[in-house]
Amino acid sequence: EDEQIVAEIMERRFFPDQAYKTWEGFHFAGHEIRITEATDCYGAVVWPSALVLCYFLETHSKQCNLVDKNVIEIGAGTGLVSIVASLLGAFVTATDLPELLGNLQYNILQNTKQKCKHQPCVKELSWGIDLEKNFPRSSCHFDYIMAADVVYHHPFLDELLLTFDHLCKNDTVILWAMKFRLENENRFVDRFQTLFDLEVISNFPSLNIALYKAMRKDRMKA
């Protein structure tokens, strides 16, 4: 079953006929999505975890109804997940580091203009920095936090956990797709579970990717 679903997920990706590929194509939410990439940094490439998350959003659109929901994607990269969430009716804030915002904004605009109920917005978010200033708890409420492949070999895992904690209210649902590469990932999952109840909702051993759903541990007390 894993290999069959993985094959279906990967079939959503297609490439242009030209010898020099300036973009990759994807089929999600009834649309052809063209993503411009840059191979000189991690954040400007579409990783398989993003495809897994997009596939889940599309195939579980009744259980996970995004229409009119307020969604933030952290580490949005090329914007594929944010684009698919927007096409499914969500109001999306796509965030990433300042050096990635130009390409992110381009991809989102090219693939959502006049196609979405709510035009998504792009905003800078450096994990752990100026969170209250840029995303004040009193006025920012997200129904969903989405993240694909934000845990890998980088020195900002503390800041990432702080960002999840700051953005997540008692009724916020986190949807997080992660590829396991090193022991670092397992340690982060353990730390994550000190703050959040974590549930595996899809698992793809052939890709070494798990898709998680999480909510705050203290939500019932509140």
Short mmCIF file of all heavy atoms in Angstrom, two decimals, residues 130-157:
data_model
loop_
_atom_site.label_atom_id
_atom_site.label_comp_id
_atom_site.label_asym_id
_atom_site.label_seq_id
_atom_site.Cartn_x
_atom_site.Cartn_y
_atom_site.Cartn_z
N ASP A 130 11.65 37.96 16.84
CA ASP A 130 10.58 38.97 16.79
C ASP A 130 9.20 38.34 16.60
O ASP A 130 8.35 38.88 15.88
CB ASP A 130 10.85 39.97 15.65
CG ASP A 130 12.06 40.84 15.92
OD1 ASP A 130 12.38 41.07 17.10
OD2 ASP A 130 12.69 41.29 14.95
N LEU A 131 8.95 37.21 17.25
CA LEU A 131 7.68 36.52 17.07
C LEU A 131 6.50 37.34 17.56
O LEU A 131 5.48 37.48 16.87
CB LEU A 131 7.71 35.16 17.77
CG LEU A 131 8.70 34.13 17.19
CD1 LEU A 131 8.72 32.88 18.05
CD2 LEU A 131 8.32 33.79 15.75
N GLU A 132 6.62 37.91 18.75
CA GLU A 132 5.51 38.68 19.30
C GLU A 132 5.29 39.98 18.52
O GLU A 132 4.16 40.43 18.34
CB GLU A 132 5.75 38.98 20.78
CG GLU A 132 4.64 39.76 21.46
CD GLU A 132 3.29 39.04 21.41
OE1 GLU A 132 3.26 37.79 21.38
OE2 GLU A 132 2.26 39.75 21.41
N LYS A 133 6.38 40.57 18.04
CA LYS A 133 6.27 41.79 17.25
C LYS A 133 5.57 41.55 15.92
O LYS A 133 4.69 42.32 15.52
CB LYS A 133 7.67 42.36 17.00
CG LYS A 133 7.70 43.58 16.10
CD LYS A 133 9.13 44.03 15.83
CE LYS A 133 9.17 45.19 14.84
NZ LYS A 133 10.57 45.60 14.54
N ASN A 134 5.95 40.48 15.24
CA ASN A 134 5.43 40.23 13.89
C ASN A 134 4.16 39.37 13.88
O ASN A 134 3.37 39.45 12.94
CB ASN A 134 6.50 39.55 13.04
CG ASN A 134 7.70 40.43 12.82
OD1 ASN A 134 7.56 41.65 12.65
ND2 ASN A 134 8.89 39.85 12.84
N PHE A 135 3.98 38.56 14.93
CA PHE A 135 2.81 37.70 15.03
C PHE A 135 2.27 37.74 16.47
O PHE A 135 2.38 36.77 17.21
CB PHE A 135 3.17 36.25 14.64
CG PHE A 135 3.67 36.10 13.24
CD1 PHE A 135 5.04 36.21 12.97
CD2 PHE A 135 2.80 35.87 12.18
CE1 PHE A 135 5.51 36.07 11.67
CE2 PHE A 135 3.26 35.75 10.88
CZ PHE A 135 4.63 35.85 10.63
N PRO A 136 1.70 38.89 16.87
CA PRO A 136 1.26 39.04 18.26
C PRO A 136 0.20 38.02 18.63
O PRO A 136 -0.74 37.76 17.87
CB PRO A 136 0.71 40.47 18.30
CG PRO A 136 0.46 40.84 16.88
CD PRO A 136 1.44 40.09 16.05
N ARG A 137 0.36 37.44 19.82
CA ARG A 137 -0.58 36.42 20.28
C ARG A 137 -2.01 36.94 20.38
O ARG A 137 -2.97 36.20 20.15
CB ARG A 137 -0.14 35.89 21.65
CG ARG A 137 1.11 35.04 21.63
CD ARG A 137 1.45 34.61 23.05
NE ARG A 137 2.71 33.88 23.12
CZ ARG A 137 2.83 32.56 23.03
NH1 ARG A 137 1.74 31.84 22.82
NH2 ARG A 137 3.99 31.97 23.13
N SER A 138 -2.15 38.21 20.71
CA SER A 138 -3.49 38.76 20.94
C SER A 138 -4.31 38.86 19.65
O SER A 138 -5.54 38.82 19.70
CB SER A 138 -3.38 40.15 21.57
OG SER A 138 -2.65 41.03 20.73
N SER A 139 -3.66 38.99 18.51
CA SER A 139 -4.39 39.22 17.27
C SER A 139 -4.19 38.14 16.21
O SER A 139 -4.94 38.09 15.23
CB SER A 139 -4.00 40.57 16.67
OG SER A 139 -2.61 40.62 16.41
N CYS A 140 -3.21 37.27 16.38
CA CYS A 140 -2.95 36.23 15.39
C CYS A 140 -3.54 34.90 15.85
O CYS A 140 -3.15 34.38 16.90
CB CYS A 140 -1.44 36.06 15.15
SG CYS A 140 -0.71 37.42 14.23
N HIS A 141 -4.46 34.39 15.09
CA HIS A 141 -5.05 33.09 15.40
C HIS A 141 -5.06 32.25 14.13
O HIS A 141 -5.67 32.63 13.13
CB HIS A 141 -6.47 33.23 15.94
CG HIS A 141 -7.08 31.93 16.32
ND1 HIS A 141 -7.60 31.05 15.40
CD2 HIS A 141 -7.23 31.32 17.53
CE1 HIS A 141 -8.04 29.97 16.00
NE2 HIS A 141 -7.84 30.12 17.30
N PHE A 142 -4.39 31.12 14.18
CA PHE A 142 -4.32 30.24 13.02
C PHE A 142 -5.05 28.93 13.32
O PHE A 142 -4.82 28.30 14.36
CB PHE A 142 -2.86 29.96 12.66
CG PHE A 142 -2.09 31.19 12.28
CD1 PHE A 142 -1.17 31.76 13.14
CD2 PHE A 142 -2.32 31.80 11.05
CE1 PHE A 142 -0.49 32.91 12.79
CE2 PHE A 142 -1.63 32.96 10.69
CZ PHE A 142 -0.71 33.50 11.56
N ASP A 143 -5.91 28.55 12.39
CA ASP A 143 -6.59 27.26 12.52
C ASP A 143 -5.62 26.11 12.26
O ASP A 143 -5.72 25.06 12.88
CB ASP A 143 -7.75 27.18 11.53
CG ASP A 143 -8.80 28.25 11.78
OD1 ASP A 143 -9.43 28.22 12.85
OD2 ASP A 143 -8.97 29.12 10.90
N TYR A 144 -4.70 26.34 11.32
CA TYR A 144 -3.71 25.32 10.97
C TYR A 144 -2.33 25.94 10.86
O TYR A 144 -2.17 27.04 10.31
CB TYR A 144 -4.05 24.66 9.63
CG TYR A 144 -5.26 23.76 9.66
CD1 TYR A 144 -6.52 24.26 9.34
CD2 TYR A 144 -5.15 22.40 9.98
CE1 TYR A 144 -7.64 23.45 9.35
CE2 TYR A 144 -6.27 21.58 9.99
CZ TYR A 144 -7.50 22.11 9.68
OH TYR A 144 -8.61 21.29 9.69
N ILE A 145 -1.34 25.21 11.36
CA ILE A 145 0.06 25.49 11.06
C ILE A 145 0.55 24.34 10.19
O ILE A 145 0.38 23.17 10.55
CB ILE A 145 0.91 25.57 12.34
CG1 ILE A 145 0.43 26.69 13.25
CG2 ILE A 145 2.39 25.77 11.99
CD1 ILE A 145 1.08 26.68 14.63
N MET A 146 1.15 24.66 9.06
CA MET A 146 1.64 23.63 8.16
C MET A 146 3.15 23.75 8.00
O MET A 146 3.70 24.87 7.95
CB MET A 146 0.95 23.71 6.81
CG MET A 146 -0.54 23.45 6.90
SD MET A 146 -1.36 23.36 5.31
CE MET A 146 -3.07 23.20 5.87
N ALA A 147 3.79 22.61 7.91
CA ALA A 147 5.25 22.59 7.77
C ALA A 147 5.66 21.33 7.04
O ALA A 147 5.15 20.23 7.32
CB ALA A 147 5.92 22.64 9.13
N ALA A 148 6.55 21.46 6.08
CA ALA A 148 7.07 20.32 5.32
C ALA A 148 8.59 20.39 5.31
O ALA A 148 9.16 21.36 4.82
CB ALA A 148 6.51 20.30 3.90
N ASP A 149 9.20 19.37 5.86
CA ASP A 149 10.67 19.24 5.84
C ASP A 149 11.38 20.43 6.47
O ASP A 149 12.36 20.95 5.94
CB ASP A 149 11.16 19.03 4.40
CG ASP A 149 12.08 17.81 4.30
OD1 ASP A 149 12.38 17.20 5.35
OD2 ASP A 149 12.51 17.47 3.19
N VAL A 150 10.89 20.84 7.62
CA VAL A 150 11.55 21.95 8.33
C VAL A 150 12.60 21.45 9.32
O VAL A 150 13.36 22.26 9.88
CB VAL A 150 10.52 22.84 9.07
CG1 VAL A 150 9.64 23.58 8.07
CG2 VAL A 150 9.66 22.03 10.03
N VAL A 151 12.64 20.15 9.56
CA VAL A 151 13.64 19.58 10.46
C VAL A 151 14.66 18.80 9.64
O VAL A 151 14.35 17.81 9.01
CB VAL A 151 12.98 18.63 11.49
CG1 VAL A 151 14.04 18.02 12.42
CG2 VAL A 151 11.95 19.39 12.31
N TYR A 152 15.88 19.32 9.63
CA TYR A 152 17.00 18.65 8.95
C TYR A 152 18.26 19.14 9.65
O TYR A 152 18.20 19.64 10.78
CB TYR A 152 16.99 18.95 7.45
CG TYR A 152 16.91 20.42 7.09
CD1 TYR A 152 18.05 21.20 6.93
CD2 TYR A 152 15.67 21.05 6.93
CE1 TYR A 152 17.98 22.55 6.63
CE2 TYR A 152 15.58 22.39 6.62
CZ TYR A 152 16.73 23.14 6.47
OH TYR A 152 16.65 24.47 6.17
N HIS A 153 19.40 18.97 9.03
CA HIS A 153 20.66 19.31 9.70
C HIS A 153 20.88 20.82 9.66
O HIS A 153 21.54 21.36 8.78
CB HIS A 153 21.83 18.59 9.04
CG HIS A 153 23.13 18.80 9.75
ND1 HIS A 153 23.34 18.39 11.05
CD2 HIS A 153 24.28 19.39 9.35
CE1 HIS A 153 24.57 18.71 11.42
NE2 HIS A 153 25.16 19.33 10.41
N HIS A 154 20.25 21.52 10.63
CA HIS A 154 20.46 22.96 10.77
C HIS A 154 20.50 23.29 12.26
O HIS A 154 20.00 22.52 13.09
CB HIS A 154 19.39 23.77 10.03
CG HIS A 154 17.99 23.59 10.55
ND1 HIS A 154 17.57 24.10 11.76
CD2 HIS A 154 16.92 22.95 10.04
CE1 HIS A 154 16.31 23.80 11.97
NE2 HIS A 154 15.88 23.09 10.95
N PRO A 155 21.09 24.43 12.62
CA PRO A 155 21.30 24.75 14.04
C PRO A 155 20.16 25.51 14.69
O PRO A 155 20.35 26.13 15.75
CB PRO A 155 22.58 25.60 14.01
CG PRO A 155 22.49 26.33 12.71
CD PRO A 155 21.82 25.38 11.75
N PHE A 156 18.97 25.49 14.10
CA PHE A 156 17.89 26.34 14.60
C PHE A 156 16.69 25.53 15.11
O PHE A 156 15.56 26.00 15.05
CB PHE A 156 17.43 27.30 13.50
CG PHE A 156 18.54 28.14 12.94
CD1 PHE A 156 19.02 27.90 11.66
CD2 PHE A 156 19.13 29.14 13.70
CE1 PHE A 156 20.07 28.65 11.14
CE2 PHE A 156 20.17 29.91 13.20
CZ PHE A 156 20.64 29.66 11.91
N LEU A 157 16.95 24.34 15.64
CA LEU A 157 15.85 23.50 16.12
C LEU A 157 15.18 24.10 17.36
O LEU A 157 13.96 24.00 17.52
CB LEU A 157 16.34 22.08 16.39
CG LEU A 157 16.80 21.32 15.14
CD1 LEU A 157 17.30 19.94 15.52
CD2 LEU A 157 15.69 21.23 14.10
#
